[in-house]
Amino acid sequence: MLNFQENKLTQTIKDKAPLRPIESIPDLCLSCGTCSAGCPITGISGFDPRKIVRMVLEGSDQELIDSPLPWLCTMCGKCEHACPMGINIVNIIRTARGMVDRDKVPGMIHKGVELDLETGNNLGLPAEDFKFIIEDVAGELAETPGFEDFQVPFDKQGANLLHTLHNKLVNTQNEDLVHWWKIFYKAKEDWTIPSVNWEGVNWGLFSGDDDAMKVFVGRIVDHMERLEIKNLMYPE
Amino acid sequence: MATRFGLQKWFPDFFDRFGAFTVFDLLVDYIKSGRIQVDKTKITGRIAYHDPCNYGRKSEELFGHGFFDEPRWVLDQCVSDWVDLNPNRANQYCCGGGGGTLLTPYKNERLTYGLKKIQQIRRSGAGMIVLPCHSCHSQIRTLLAENGMTEIAVKYLWELVADILVID
């Protein structure tokens, strides 16, 4: 039972009616809908960032996790750029993604993460096949006027710059491998690419998987240390 | 962006031991220092530039600097007629393929998201879209094909530079 006397001594109006009852960040939400107005995909297949923030605020975590909503988002950040309260909506989405059972992650995202963990790239491409593709494309460039004797330096000790590759360039977009190679050649850059763990993209960002993400970033640190490279070219 | 974010979060001492450069840092440095030369007369026709969310709005939020001016400086060195899409910079529309959505089965949604981008591109009057992101490249190429606009080319910013390198 409420002890009026004691209550009077210990609780102020502010205690009873806090000006900002902040328990977690989404509690700051004013429900103004600016996020949804700013989001370019609001209304498509039921997507609505304000609704997502409200779900989190109300504790409907499981409903959100079981829905396709976290995966419909492109994480473009326009919602939180517009939010007057600075709520980190993209992080809410990514956190929800990370709480989904890994076998329920739609499409290729988690499969790519698993392959990268196992093989060092999202394609699961063996090292000898990787080297063959790279040397094949490099050989063609070396026959192009202006790029005579071009070679791709694998695992060069003490190089100035570490270059990694987006898996799609090694897969279906081989013709896009040469652009940076041409620039490096003309700039006389002292660069190198790793012959293993060469993957430049980090799908742990998309799948909400911090453990995997850390492994992939750690591999880049490992290349830099092992090969004593001076500078990293950010993969993306 | 993922790598930079991860290095800051889990390997903060990396930055005491190594240098780290974005694609923009390298392009600007190579051109400014004269290590590469580009021929501005090689490309005619109008180009439009698309800001990827990760290098723009999200880098601004995560790292305190959005890469808005650097690619525009590179374009100034490379071509005489380039325009911005509208809206642009921090208010740029996502291509519709970000956040891993290119890897999900939600293709219809992705194509619908991209209609805003198609509208921006049509209004720009450009014959080529230049951008510095692999996801945006795949998505915008698909969008143009799906909307019967394959006469518009899509190039990476570094591809544009590589294509007009002065070769002695």
Side-chain angles (χ1 to χ4, degrees):
Chain A
M1 199 194 272
L2 201 72
N3 183 329
F4 179 72
Q5 202 58 36
E6 187 185 314
N7 203 39
K8 195 180 163 189
L9 289 170
T10 58
Q11 280 197 297
T12 64
I13 292 171
K14 205 176 90 187
D15 291 332
K16 285 186 177 179
L19 299 177
R20 290 176 97 178
I22 301 169
E23 287 171 3
S24 66
I25 294 300
D27 290 12
L28 292 166
C29 176
L30 305 169
S31 311
C32 67
T34 304
C35 53
S36 297
C39 170
I41 67 167
T42 293
I44 299 171
S45 298
F47 192 81
D48 183 341
R50 186 180 77 144
K51 188 167 129 191
I52 291 172
V53 174
R54 301 315 295 176
M55 285 168 90
V56 171
L57 179 53
E58 288 160 10
S60 307
D61 290 13
Q62 200 56 47
E63 198 187 329
L64 176 61
I65 291 163
D66 292 341
S67 79
L69 295 174
W71 308 100
L72 289 169
C73 174
T74 72
M75 297 163 100
C76 82
K78 220 172 176 184
C79 52
E80 60 184 39
H81 180 70
C83 175
M85 298 305 283
I87 296 174
N88 192 342
I89 303 169
V90 175
N91 195 35
I92 289 173
I93 303 258
R94 185 172 178 269
T95 303
R97 286 186 179 192
M99 291 165 75
V100 172
D101 286 344
R102 293 298 86 180
D103 59 356
K104 289 185 181 140
V105 175
M108 283 302 298
I109 305 178
H110 181 60
K111 292 182 183 72
V113 167
E114 276 187 319
L115 279 171
D116 196 0
L117 286 170
E118 276 170 39
T119 69
N121 65 83
N122 291 1
L123 306 171
L125 192 72
E128 57 271 25
D129 294 0
F130 171 68
K131 212 164 178 191
F132 177 82
I133 292 166
I134 296 297
E135 285 179 343
D136 188 44
V137 178
E140 279 178 38
L141 182 58
E143 289 169 18
T144 309
F147 300 96
E148 287 82 4
D149 304 322
F150 172 82
Q151 282 189 326
V152 170
F154 288 103
D155 305 315
K156 189 179 172 197
Q157 200 72 30
N160 181 54
L161 191 71
L162 180 73
H163 184 51
T164 54
L165 293 170
H166 189 298
N167 58 80
K168 78 172 184 179
L169 304 190
V170 185
N171 190 13
T172 53
Q173 316 283 315
N174 288 175
E175 68 277 13
D176 289 324
L177 280 166
V178 297
H179 313 312
W180 274 111
W181 296 356
K182 287 180 174 176
I183 294 170
F184 292 154
Y185 182 93
K186 283 294 162 198
K188 299 188 169 59
E189 182 61 80
D190 177 20
W191 63 290
T192 189
I193 56 172
S195 59
V196 293
N197 294 344
W198 48 265
E199 182 61 68
V201 297
N202 194 327
W203 288 353
L205 176 73
F206 299 150
S207 71
D209 185 341
D210 273 355
D211 293 339
M213 196 171 161
K214 187 178 173 184
V215 169
F216 304 145
V217 176
R219 285 174 180 169
I220 289 191
V221 179
D222 177 61
H223 292 315
M224 299 292 287
E225 289 173 346
R226 183 172 47 88
L227 298 170
E228 298 179 307
I229 296 169
K230 296 173 192 74
N231 298 297
L232 168 69
M233 173 178 175
Y234 286 123
E236 17 64 49
Chain B
M1 199 203 76
T3 303
R4 185 172 178 182
F5 178 72
L7 286 171
Q8 289 189 354
K9 189 168 177 183
W10 295 301
F11 304 93
D13 72 328
F14 180 89
F15 300 95
D16 301 327
R17 297 187 290 147
F18 306 103
F21 297 100
T22 64
V23 292
F24 308 108
D25 299 325
L26 291 178
L27 291 174
V28 169
D29 177 65
Y30 291 155
I31 295 173
K32 265 195 180 158
S33 65
R35 286 174 72 181
I36 60 171
Q37 280 106 42
V38 287
D39 181 351
K40 208 173 172 174
T41 66
K42 271 197 178 167
I43 290 180
T44 54
R46 174 169 290 183
I47 285 174
Y49 180 70
H50 162 77
D51 301 271
C53 307
N54 282 330
Y55 278 131
R57 192 164 46 235
K58 294 177 79 178
S59 284
E60 190 172 62
E61 189 191 314
L62 283 173
F63 312 123
H65 178 78
F67 294 90
F68 299 120
D69 292 333
E70 296 84 347
R72 288 171 171 81
W73 183 87
V74 172
L75 283 168
D76 280 339
Q77 314 312 308
C78 293
V79 292
S80 46
D81 182 17
W82 73 267
V83 295
D84 260 312
L85 299 173
N86 279 305
N88 51 57
R89 294 184 178 237
N91 291 312
Q92 183 69 262
Y93 284 128
C94 172
C95 64
T101 55
L102 283 168
L103 306 161
T104 67
Y106 301 112
K107 191 182 177 186
N108 285 337
E109 281 84 356
R110 210 160 58 230
L111 294 177
T112 311
Y113 301 165
L115 292 176
K116 280 195 161 72
K117 187 56 58 187
I118 284 295
Q119 200 177 33
Q120 283 181 296
I121 293 172
R122 281 212 174 103
R123 281 199 301 245
S124 75
M128 185 193 292
I129 308 302
V130 170
L131 41 79
C133 168
H134 287 101
S135 296
C136 300
H137 188 276
S138 294
Q139 163 76 354
I140 291 181
R141 216 154 69 157
T142 306
L143 287 176
L144 292 170
E146 295 274 346
N147 288 278
M149 294 161 68
T150 47
E151 74 281 5
I152 299 180
V154 185
K155 269 193 204 296
Y156 297 104
L157 183 66
W158 47 90
E159 179 180 5
L160 178 77
V161 172
D163 283 355
I164 61 168
L165 282 170
V166 173
I167 296 161
D168 306 319

